[in-house]
Amino acid sequence: MAQPGLKVLGVCGSLRKASFNMAALKACAELAPSGMSLTIAELSDIPMYNQDVFDQGMPDPVKRFRAQVAAADGLLIASPEYNFSVPAPLKNAIDWGSRAPNQVFQDKPVAIFSAAVGPLGGARVQYDLRRILVQLWGHVLPRPEVFIGMAPGKFDAQGRLTDETTRKFLSDLLLGFRDWIVRMRGK
Ligand SMILES: Cc1cc2nc3c(=O)[nH]c(=O)nc-3n(C[C@H](O)[C@H](O)[C@H](O)COP(=O)(O)O)c2cc1C
């Protein structure tokens, strides 16, 4: 049985206001099963990784992001695919979080989904994210996978996810993620 009070941090790979990925992440806050709550991280003020800056002391937005990841029971990443891979703001946040000491992805349960304008729904970004996070010892949920293709037809003008099939896919992903977090805690 799932434990109550699981805090999940949503992380969006797109910074744009009308992002489909952010809209889907917001829908996940409504669709989360009992025992799971979702808050969404801000990546827009995180500077580009620079070892010189790191050596002088991590900037406040980086400290905030790392603390949020460290405190979360799990990460839910929603991202578009940029040029067949991970968008820079998301990769940059992961790079900041990955630095020792206390790299924040160690043993962290992670679920990933993607939304894109094209028919594949950003499939390729998911496999690159898995590759990156697994080598950081993140525990990435194997299945279900959710690819939101042809995204513009699945949201209304206010950015609400209106496609019922996609809502069901995300609900199933969140249910699976809840069980995965509990299972990984037992390891
Ligand atoms: C720099 C850039 C590269 C992109 N590359 C891809 C791509 O490789 N595959 C894809 O399906 N869509 C690609 N797109 C289109 C995105 O799927 C589309 O912009 C999507 O709406 C972005 O997600 P968002 O709505 O969450 O911002 C790209 C968009 C940008 C801006």
Side-chain angles (χ1 to χ4, degrees):
M1 256 321 274
Q3 298 170 10
L6 298 178
K7 293 193 216 73
V8 171
L9 182 68
V11 179
C12 183
S14 171
L15 302 183
R16 77 186 185 97
K17 281 199 194 72
S19 161
F20 295 117
N21 285 279
M22 180 58 90
L25 210 44
K26 287 179 178 163
C28 287
E30 296 165 18
L31 298 170
S34 65
M36 177 188 280
S37 63
L38 181 73
T39 56
I40 299 177
E42 179 66 54
L43 302 191
S44 63
D45 57 351
I46 296 179
M48 286 302 287
Y49 186 83
N50 179 334
Q51 186 65 42
D52 297 336
V53 174
F54 180 89
D55 290 343
Q56 286 158 19
M58 279 183 279
D60 286 343
V62 173
K63 285 187 192 153
R64 181 195 66 223
F65 176 70
R66 286 178 60 112
Q68 283 182 312
V69 175
D73 296 304
L75 292 187
L76 177 63
I77 299 179
S79 184
E81 177 177 278
Y82 278 3
N83 296 309
F84 287 19
S85 192
V86 183
L90 177 56
K91 180 61 164 55
N92 183 52
I94 293 172
D95 288 344
W96 277 112
S98 72
R99 303 307 291 152
N102 306 319
Q103 75 95 346
V104 295
F105 303 104
Q106 178 77 41
D107 296 323
K108 191 65 63 179
V110 182
I112 297 168
F113 71 88
S114 55
V117 169
L120 288 183
R124 288 160 294 221
V125 70
Q126 295 200 23
Y127 299 114
D128 279 3
L129 279 171
R130 282 176 187 275
R131 189 165 51 85
I132 292 163
L133 289 161
V134 163
Q135 66 87 23
L136 290 169
W137 291 96
H139 299 310
V140 184
L141 176 71
R143 282 198 302 270
E145 296 178 301
V146 178
F147 308 102
I148 307 176
M150 316 297 271
K154 293 175 178 166
F155 297 82
D156 68 16
Q158 285 71 46
R160 185 177 151 72
L161 178 59
T162 49
D163 185 72
E164 284 307 322
T165 306
T166 305
R167 293 180 76 85
K168 174 77 169 69
F169 283 147
L170 288 176
S171 297
D172 290 348
L173 174 71
L174 294 166
L175 267 177
F177 192 36
R178 186 181 66 177
D179 292 349
W180 181 248
I181 294 172
V182 172
R183 185 167 159 185
M184 289 301 112
R185 277 186 168 180
K187 293 271 172 218

